[in-house]
Amino acid sequence: MSTLDVSRAHTLGLNGARRAANAVADRLRSEFRATAAWDGDVLRVSARGVKGEIAVSESLVRVTARLGLAARPFRNLLRREIEQQLNRSLSQPA
């Protein structure tokens, strides 16, 4: 199984990082029919062919994703999309 691991520092604080992760999850739900649920400070996300986590802390957000066989050819595209979404979401004021 192929994996992606992307981290970003932020200045939003824990609550701001949780709001940003929720915004990303809302988009994934609407566009990809993903499911998402919080487990402590980790948002577990699942969609067809991809399972991942968005772990938040006071100053860091880390996204890890495990790609199934069908999603592997899109690894680079998915990495770029994750990076862009993190950059957008984490640049919002707290």
Side-chain angles (χ1 to χ4, degrees), residues 46-67:
S46 181
R48 188 172 185 192
V50 179
K51 288 187 179 188
E53 300 176 345
I54 304 172
V56 298
S57 72
E58 194 70 32
S59 60
L60 186 73
V61 172
R62 181 177 182 194
V63 177
T64 55
R66 292 172 301 287
L67 308 180

Side-chain angles (χ1 to χ4, degrees), residues 6-24 38 54-63 82-94:
V6 179
S7 298
R8 289 287 185 275
H10 66 84
T11 59
L12 300 176
L14 183 58
N15 289 333
R18 286 178 69 93
R19 283 192 299 274
N22 279 326
V24 170
W38 284 100
I54 304 172
V56 298
S57 72
E58 194 70 32
S59 60
L60 186 73
V61 172
R62 181 177 182 194
V63 177
I82 290 168
E83 290 172 342
Q84 289 173 355
Q85 194 60 230
L86 280 175
N87 291 340
R88 265 192 302 262
S89 297
L90 296 176
S91 67
Q92 303 299 316

